[in-house]
Amino acid sequence: MKKTSRRDFLKLAGATGAGLLACGAGSALANEGLQVNNEELGMLYDATKCVGCKACMSACKRVNHDYGSLSYEKAKFDEDGLWDAPSDLSGSTRTLIKLFKESEQRWSYVKYSCMHCQKPSCVSVCPVSAMTKEKVSGIVDYNKNTCIGCRYCQIACPYNIPKFQWEKAVPQIVKCDLCKATNLREKGISACAEVCPAGAIKFGKRKELLEEAHQRLKDAPDKYVQHVYGEHEGGGTNHLYLASMPFNKLGLPEIKPEAPAEFSEKIQHTIYKGFIAPVALYSTLCFIAVKNMKKHDSHDDDHKKGDK
């Protein structure tokens, strides 16, 4: 039987790997053809209506406290712990209201929570599918029992939403899931939208929210920035915004219409699909290591024969 040289093996491994990667590339291209689904659930937040009462924050924490392993966050000035007063999204806070103020006449509240992207980057980078996107509702959900704590989702999210419970003995990632297992299941609406006294948060299907948003822009052009934030950003989101101030001044990032997830999907569905590249690499390294060991043993045998 003809022996296979190391060069022949490397050529074969390279060709095989290239073929496998090409198959994976086909899957990636198929994923790029995904279209925006306006039937998915979402929220429209109108910053001009928000009064900053933070009822949405309180309801979110109350409803999802046990399910999300959330804790109340005491303010520095509140030694008695009378209020839940988080300063930012955290491992215990899924929804946050902040005030942005330029002057006495120019200011606005803004709500932060998961954007529930049409093509979520957190889902595309998760190596164990702990982050998933439901096909019907469009909810970007998290499974703590699958998560390995790599926190790639935190790095990938262009909106800086997912947070990790650093202080917990059994930590998990925390982000809004539209009250999927709590208020949505029981009442058909997210807790924040249900309790908002000013009607700043509207819950429903994306197409209905977009129609409402564009109608408001048309009815009061001087009141709003003429743009629905989230309609096109990052491939589109299901959490939409209206505001009277530029969105970048409210802490919302300027993102191109192309979904960042497209790039990470190519990596996941080509190089790392089925661990093709790592397996090919480690197979090659093992082959080289075995050959070197055999060569070393052969040299030892020659030395022993010479000593005799």
Side-chain angles (χ1 to χ4, degrees):
M1 182 181 292
K2 182 181 177 180
K3 291 185 177 180
T4 302
S5 67
R6 183 184 302 177
R7 180 175 296 177
D8 291 336
F9 174 82
L10 292 175
K11 285 182 179 179
L12 178 62
T16 303
L20 290 171
L21 290 177
C23 292
S27 298
L29 291 173
N31 285 325
E32 289 175 14
L34 294 175
Q35 300 295 316
V36 171
N37 182 2
N38 285 327
E39 295 296 322
E40 294 179 353
L41 295 176
M43 293 185 290
L44 171 62
Y45 171 77
D46 190 334
T48 68
K49 291 178 175 290
C50 183
V51 296
C53 67
K54 300 187 178 182
C56 57
M57 291 174 55
S58 177
C60 176
K61 187 69 66 75
R62 172 176 50 80
V63 168
N64 298 295
H65 181 271
D66 294 332
Y67 176 78
S69 185
L70 308 179
S71 301
Y72 288 93
E73 300 181 63
K74 185 175 70 174
K76 293 180 180 179
F77 62 83
D78 182 20
E79 295 183 359
D80 296 322
L82 299 177
W83 297 282
D84 177 41
S87 59
D88 205 345
L89 291 176
S90 69
S92 284
T93 298
R94 296 177 167 194
T95 298
L96 184 77
I97 295 292
K98 273 193 173 184
L99 171 66
F100 281 83
K101 191 174 183 180
E102 279 191 348
S103 65
E104 292 296 328
Q105 294 75 34
R106 191 168 173 79
W107 55 269
S108 176
Y109 291 107
V110 65
K111 175 181 181 290
Y112 294 137
S113 62
C114 178
M115 299 296 286
H116 295 281
C117 303
Q118 285 282 319
K119 298 186 72 172
S121 296
C122 60
V123 173
S124 70
V125 302
C126 183
V128 294
S129 296
M131 285 288 185
T132 56
K133 179 179 172 68
E134 292 192 345
K135 291 183 179 180
V136 177
S137 68
I139 294 173
V140 178
D141 198 11
Y142 166 75
N143 186 344
K144 64 182 180 181
N145 297 319
T146 304
C147 181
I148 57 174
C150 67
R151 298 184 292 281
Y152 286 171
C153 55
Q154 286 188 277
I155 299 170
C157 179
Y159 303 99
N160 192 31
I161 296 297
K163 300 300 178 185
F164 189 69
Q165 295 179 326
W166 296 98
E167 73 285 356
K168 298 290 180 69
V170 184
Q172 63 188 58
I173 292 291
V174 171
K175 58 171 287 299
C176 162
D177 60 5
L178 294 184
C179 300
K180 172 191 168 183
T182 53
N183 223 67
L184 181 61
R185 177 181 293 175
E186 296 170 5
K187 302 179 181 180
I189 188 173
S190 64
C192 60
E194 181 188 22
V195 302
C196 181
I201 307 170
K202 184 178 177 65
F203 185 86
K205 290 186 177 181
R206 191 176 194 266
K207 65 177 181 180
E208 297 167 353
L209 299 177
L210 282 172
E211 289 173 2
E212 175 70 20
H214 283 289
Q215 188 62 48
R216 292 185 191 182
L217 295 182
K218 183 179 178 181
D219 293 342
D222 297 332
K223 182 179 181 180
Y224 297 101
V225 172
Q226 289 297 303
H227 177 63
V228 181
Y229 187 91
E231 181 174 11
H232 302 296
E233 279 78 7
T237 67
N238 294 341
H239 189 180
L240 306 169
Y241 287 80
L242 290 176
S244 60
M245 291 179 64
F247 295 103
N248 62 335
K249 292 188 177 182
L250 299 181
L252 296 169
E254 295 181 358
I255 298 177
K256 296 179 180 180
E258 296 79 20
E262 288 185 357
F263 176 73
S264 50
E265 276 182 1
K266 289 177 182 178
I267 296 176
Q268 288 286 53
H269 292 284
T270 55
I271 298 176
Y272 287 104
K273 184 178 181 181
F275 286 91
I276 292 170
V279 168
L281 172 63
Y282 289 128
S283 297
T284 303
L285 292 176
C286 284
F287 175 81
I288 294 172
V290 170
K291 291 288 287 184
N292 288 338
M293 288 176 64
K294 288 182 177 179
K295 186 183 292 185
H296 180 73
D297 292 340
S298 178
H299 287 168
D300 286 345
D301 292 339
D302 291 340
H303 283 302
K304 290 178 180 178
K305 291 178 181 179
D307 293 338
K308 291 181 179 179

